[in-house]
Amino acid sequence: QVQLVESGGGLVQPGGSLRLSCAASGIIFSIYHMGWYRQAPGKQRELVARIRSSGLTIYADSVKGRFTISRDNAKNTVYLQMNSLKPDDTAVYYCNVVLDSYNYWGQGTQVTVSS
């Protein structure tokens, strides 16, 4: 049974930082590509960053240079370090993995950027 559990969200002022974590279970974590998505109120869910099993990363243009995705295969965990946060980054952030063409999602963690 695949489980993804996110943590680390919260309220932060513009310019601040947060680190999100996603602990995975039920999969051979090291062989799968992992992703972070976000969904703001009234908007579609969008890709924020993805890290392949090789460690290769891709980022949405809106977060390049500010966010860093990383993984610790020994801990079955993927991280999203978010710096220089902006109000537009406010959203629920979800961890994602695709197995056999099926998308698995965590429960999400709320990130609110506001003064």
Side-chain angles (χ1 to χ4, degrees), residues 83-101:
N83 298 329
S84 302
L85 282 161
K86 305 175 182 179
D88 283 351
D89 296 318
T90 295
V92 178
Y93 284 70
Y94 297 92
C95 184
N96 169 266
V97 65
V98 180
L99 277 72
D100 298 327
S101 300

Side-chain angles (χ1 to χ4, degrees), residues 1-23:
Q1 181 180 353
V2 179
Q3 279 194 315
L4 302 172
V5 180
E6 302 100 333
S7 61
L11 173 63
V12 63
Q13 291 187 341
S17 298
L18 282 175
R19 188 195 196 203
L20 305 184
S21 300
C22 170

Side-chain angles (χ1 to χ4, degrees), residues 20-93:
L20 305 184
S21 300
C22 170
S25 60
I27 61 172
I28 304 173
F29 180 80
S30 62
I31 70 173
Y32 288 102
H33 312 322
M34 301 297 298
W36 282 100
Y37 287 72
R38 67 186 180 187
Q39 188 165 19
K43 294 187 177 181
Q44 289 189 332
R45 194 171 296 189
E46 63 176 2
L47 175 69
V48 175
R50 178 169 293 280
I51 184 165
R52 299 178 67 90
S53 56
S54 63
L56 184 68
T57 57
I58 61 169
Y59 295 93
D61 287 344
S62 59
V63 307
K64 280 181 183 176
R66 301 188 297 123
F67 291 12
T68 303
I69 188 171
S70 61
R71 65 191 298 160
D72 185 336
N73 290 337
K75 295 183 178 180
N76 285 8
T77 300
V78 59
Y79 303 98
L80 186 68
Q81 178 66 44
M82 306 185 295
N83 298 329
S84 302
L85 282 161
K86 305 175 182 179
D88 283 351
D89 296 318
T90 295
V92 178
Y93 284 70

